[in-house]
Amino acid sequence: MLRTRVKICGITRIEDAIAAIDAGADALGFVFYSKSPRAVSVEQAQSIIAALPPFVSKVGLFVNEDAAFIRKLLGLCSLDILQFHGDESPEFCHSFTMPYMKALRMREGMDLHVAAEEYSTARALLLDSYKPGVPGGTGESFDWHRIPNDLDIPIVLAGGLRVDNVAAAISSCHPYALDVSGGVEMAPGIKCPQKVTEFITAISDADRREE
Ligand SMILES: O=C(O)c1ccccc1NCC(=O)[C@H](O)[C@H](O)COP(=O)(O)O
């Protein structure tokens, strides 16, 4: 059985990035959405990324951002994959000739088979909770049983994940990866190393139980 990967999102400090990597994080998320309390500036992201060791995916996160800003950012920051968390079309997402994940907020009636077909160029679908007016980082989970078990695209599960619901999340839909932000924080944008470690340990424990 494949190991469940983990992305720690909303990284704003180098010490949090290093602690997440030391705990076993596979990916770090940098929020380039200025309305988020976890937003980073280009300069912040550059300095954090420059201090990272190899073999960790750097994810740049956008919400209906201007293409020119993204292109400029890609010339300044070494990102590995883009995460589009707004209403971006498949054509827009694909236009940066970079791997990307499309985040889908799981509002009622979301047809993931249709979405998987629509975003067929995505490397993964990131499924997040839907809360009106809140594009992401809700801290709330959704009904994971709404996720079909026959999607032919990797699923990254997000939304309200915490150490005490990781096992249920993995057993309910066996996602390719888990994405967490609020559940491992002591304050918005400030990660708690102990919570990060406990979260990633809980994933390893859950994977072992699923073997
Ligand atoms: O994290 C944010 O503040 C945020 C703001 C606007 C759009 C997306 C945002 N985060 C995207 C993520 O991938 C989060 O990790 C995901 O929404 C889960 O957040 P949480 O429920 O706090 O674990």
Side-chain angles (χ1 to χ4, degrees):
M1 173 183 167
L2 283 177
R3 172 177 68 83
T4 304
R5 268 61 174 180
V6 58
K7 170 187 164 234
I8 305 297
C9 196
I11 295 287
T12 63
R13 306 186 307 173
I14 182 59
E15 57 265 46
D16 293 346
I18 298 301
I21 293 165
D22 288 349
D26 299 284
L28 303 175
F30 299 94
V31 178
F32 296 103
Y33 176 62
S34 58
K35 294 178 183 172
S36 165
R38 305 176 178 104
V40 283
S41 67
V42 176
E43 293 72 22
Q44 272 179 295
Q46 280 178 308
S47 59
I48 294 169
I49 290 170
L52 297 182
F55 314 135
V56 179
S57 293
K58 285 92 70 186
V59 182
L61 189 155
F62 308 95
V63 180
N64 299 324
E65 184 54 79
D66 182 72
F69 172 82
I70 297 173
R71 292 194 201 291
K72 180 181 176 188
L73 179 75
L74 291 176
L76 298 170
C77 277
S78 166
L79 296 173
D80 299 299
I81 185 166
L82 308 181
Q83 178 178 323
F84 294 106
H85 221 100
D87 309 310
E88 300 86 353
S89 69
E91 295 74 21
F92 180 89
C93 296
H94 194 53
S95 68
F96 300 96
T97 57
M98 282 272 295
Y100 77 89
M101 294 189 287
K102 184 63 185 83
L104 300 170
R105 295 157 66 207
M106 290 294 289
R107 65 190 309 170
E108 285 308 309
M110 169 67 73
D111 184 328
L112 290 175
H113 288 110
V114 169
E117 186 64 36
E118 187 183 7
Y119 290 97
S120 59
T121 54
R123 298 298 174 93
L125 294 179
L126 186 145
L127 307 183
D128 201 354
S129 299
Y130 175 77
K131 187 173 183 179
V134 184
T138 66
E140 296 176 8
S141 59
F142 65 93
D143 179 5
W144 304 314
H145 293 97
R146 294 174 55 200
I147 305 169
N149 61 12
D150 61 351
L151 294 170
D152 59 0
I153 186 169
I155 296 301
V156 179
L157 186 61
L161 294 175
R162 303 178 309 276
V163 65
D164 58 9
N165 65 12
V166 156
I170 289 174
S171 62
S172 71
C173 60
H174 300 99
Y176 171 76
L178 298 183
D179 169 288
V180 66
S181 192
V184 293
E185 288 181 332
M186 54 179 88
I190 309 297
K191 304 308 178 190
C192 171
Q194 184 180 337
K195 285 186 175 181
V196 172
T197 300
E198 289 170 356
F199 185 83
I200 296 177
T201 301
I203 293 174
S204 305
D205 293 347
D207 281 348
R208 264 193 298 279
R209 285 194 295 272
E210 292 290 317
E211 281 176 354

